[in-house]
Amino acid sequence: MLTRRVWPSRPTFESPFAEFDQLRRQLTRMFDLVGNGAFAEIGAGVFPPLNISQDADNVYVRAEIPGVDAKALEVSALGRRLSISGKREIAVESDRASYHRRERAEGEFSRTVTLPTEIDVGRVDAKYSAGILTLALPKTDAAKPRQIAVKA
Amino acid sequence: MNENHTEIQKSDSQAVAAVPELTRSGPVVTPPVDIFETESAITVLADMPGVEPENLTIDLRENVLTFTATVSGPARAKEIFVLREYQAGTFLRQFTLSEAIDQAKIDARLTDGVLRLELPKVAKAKPRQIAVKT
């Protein structure tokens, strides 16, 4: 993420806590730098996590959505925009069950991404297996790379 | 120890000791779990998207329950990543069970990337009231 910050800040005599303020900003900046490096690939808690890849003919979108009904998933595409939404419900177990751990999340989710190229919306192939939604989105002819002959 | 209450604890330190260094590269992911208990069984539910039954191993020995699963990435090598928010790797989690489990009746099911593990408790003798005569 690119954020522009006025830096370094000039401590003023009006506030006795200016020094602390500067320290706070320094720390924030430090964490931002770390975030841009090693941990940048981890989505900021956005569900579902997506992997988008492409080859010459298709764009592939894969989403980790474990334990949902395939019918409850909604995928829509318009131009270069792709939206995935749905609802994850965790069935209620028997009343007598006492929980030791409850870490799995449930609820609605929705994500919209911009694809790297134009896609042919009519020929999108969507598949859901083993908790992963796989979309194969064929590129439009205009978006496919073309070989150009070089004349001597 | 309290007879009616079973505690399941995630054993982080033991995970390091009991599981040798993995030969497979890639990140090790801790899957989120739900664990609940009824009078007859303990049920573990774990989210492990992308795992096929043949790549999952469940192990219970000396009251330590371990489950590991591997996920392989897409086979096509020609794909170039544009965005990568998750990686193919290994799911690993380990728990210590403090109650006797009937190992022969353990049932594991994997549907849509969610593992459901039923661990039935060993049937105990029913508590009996003893009348005190005067």
Side-chain angles (χ1 to χ4, degrees):
Chain A
M1 192 173 36
L2 266 175
T3 43
R4 192 162 294 188
R5 211 171 261 140
V6 184
W7 179 263
S9 75
R10 199 180 283 268
T12 52
F13 292 106
E14 281 114 62
S15 163
F17 300 109
E19 293 277 306
F20 291 108
D21 191 49
Q22 188 160 356
L23 183 70
R24 182 181 58 80
R25 285 193 216 193
Q26 245 163 7
L27 283 169
T28 314
R29 191 159 176 268
M30 201 172 80
F31 283 120
D32 272 10
L33 289 175
V34 173
N36 285 341
F39 307 114
E41 67 181 346
I42 299 164
V46 187
F47 188 88
L50 298 176
N51 274 359
I52 303 178
S53 59
Q54 62 173 333
D55 60 15
D57 301 316
N58 295 293
V59 176
Y60 302 96
V61 177
R62 293 183 182 85
E64 278 193 332
I65 316 172
V68 291
D69 187 4
K71 287 174 210 134
L73 288 171
E74 266 180 56
V75 181
S76 62
L78 179 70
R80 285 174 62 177
R81 288 269 180 116
L82 177 80
S83 296
I84 299 168
S85 61
K87 194 176 180 185
R88 187 180 179 207
E89 283 171 355
I90 294 174
V92 180
E93 304 291 340
S94 75
D95 303 333
R96 312 203 65 173
S98 63
Y99 274 85
H100 295 294
R101 267 162 205 276
R102 219 168 196 164
E103 299 167 357
R104 299 161 70 230
E106 67 175 331
E108 288 179 30
F109 56 87
S110 167
R111 248 194 115 168
T112 304
V113 285
T114 306
L115 298 168
T117 60
E118 291 272 329
I119 54 139
D120 187 346
V121 176
R123 292 193 295 128
V124 174
D125 181 49
K127 217 170 38 179
Y128 180 69
S129 103
I132 292 195
L133 174 72
T134 306
L135 304 172
L137 310 133
K139 291 182 184 178
T140 55
D141 287 333
K144 282 180 193 170
R146 245 166 297 176
Q147 287 286 336
I148 293 154
V150 180
K151 284 170 203 156
Chain B
M1 198 164 56
N2 189 350
E3 279 293 292
N4 299 319
H5 188 69
T6 305
E7 280 206 337
I8 300 183
Q9 283 149 2
K10 188 190 168 203
S11 55
D12 275 325
S13 52
Q14 283 187 23
V16 179
V19 179
E21 199 175 328
L22 297 165
T23 49
R24 206 169 175 275
S25 63
V28 178
V29 181
T30 306
V33 297
D34 281 359
I35 299 173
F36 59 87
E37 183 185 351
T38 56
E39 283 149 21
S40 57
I42 296 168
T43 308
V44 180
L45 290 157
D47 284 349
M48 298 192 283
V51 172
E52 300 289 347
E54 59 267 25
N55 298 329
L56 173 70
T57 41
I58 302 161
D59 183 90
L60 177 65
R61 63 183 76 182
E62 286 163 19
N63 282 342
V64 177
L65 171 75
T66 312
F67 49 90
T68 47
T70 51
V71 187
S72 44
R76 283 159 294 200
K78 281 184 180 172
E79 289 178 31
I80 299 158
F81 276 101
V82 182
L83 175 74
R84 198 165 194 178
E85 291 177 347
Y86 69 89
Q87 280 188 47
T90 307
F91 286 105
L92 169 70
R93 209 137 178 199
Q94 200 165 50
F95 296 98
T96 308
L97 309 169
S98 65
E99 192 156 348
I101 297 297
D102 192 346
Q103 302 214 7
K105 288 183 189 159
I106 293 175
D107 184 46
R109 219 166 291 180
L110 190 65
T111 40
D112 294 336
V114 178
L115 169 72
R116 189 189 178 97
L117 201 58
E118 303 269 1
L119 306 156
K121 294 180 194 170
V122 173
K124 277 187 212 151
K126 281 180 188 164
R128 255 185 298 169
Q129 289 282 335
I130 297 158
V132 182
K133 287 167 202 160
T134 47

